[in-house]
Amino acid sequence: MAGACLIGRITVKNADKWAEYRSKVPATLAPWGAELLFRGTQSASYAGDDRHQDIVVIRFPDQASIDGWHGSAAYQALLPIRAQAADVVLIAYQN
């Protein structure tokens, strides 16, 4: 898998706000060539503890695309909703 991935570790605080945020994110990803690879809820822990129960993995063509998406006006407009909806850690990885 070439490119870069963005990993989001998530603890939902407000389910309704989270649903609103999630419904709006895909439109912000499309211009950057991003693809949602996985979204799920933790089912078991085999080593260590993670305070976040949910995860999302999004593949981008490269790190510049992640930077562009994250800084875009379209995504930045969603940050107030995200702050109300969940505690989120976003980490980018390149390969």
Side-chain angles (χ1 to χ4, degrees):
M1 172 178 20
C5 283
L6 186 70
I7 310 295
R9 294 176 25 239
I10 304 147
T11 298
V12 176
K13 299 185 293 188
N14 180 315
D16 292 336
K17 286 288 185 184
W18 185 244
E20 177 185 357
Y21 169 81
R22 280 182 50 181
S23 73
K24 294 179 178 183
V25 169
T28 71
L29 295 170
W32 302 98
E35 174 188 7
L36 176 66
L37 296 181
F38 179 79
R39 178 180 282 138
T41 299
Q42 184 179 29
S43 60
S45 177
Y46 297 99
D49 293 319
D50 187 350
R51 71 178 188 94
H52 298 287
Q53 293 298 306
D54 293 350
I55 192 166
V56 64
V57 181
I58 304 167
R59 180 172 47 205
F60 286 80
D62 50 38
Q63 182 63 47
S65 297
I66 295 175
D67 295 341
W69 165 78
H70 191 266
S72 71
Y75 184 68
Q76 289 295 307
L78 299 182
L79 294 184
I81 299 168
R82 188 186 81 187
Q84 295 173 15
D87 292 327
V88 178
V89 175
L90 293 177
I91 303 170
Y93 295 89
Q94 272 189 269
N95 62 345

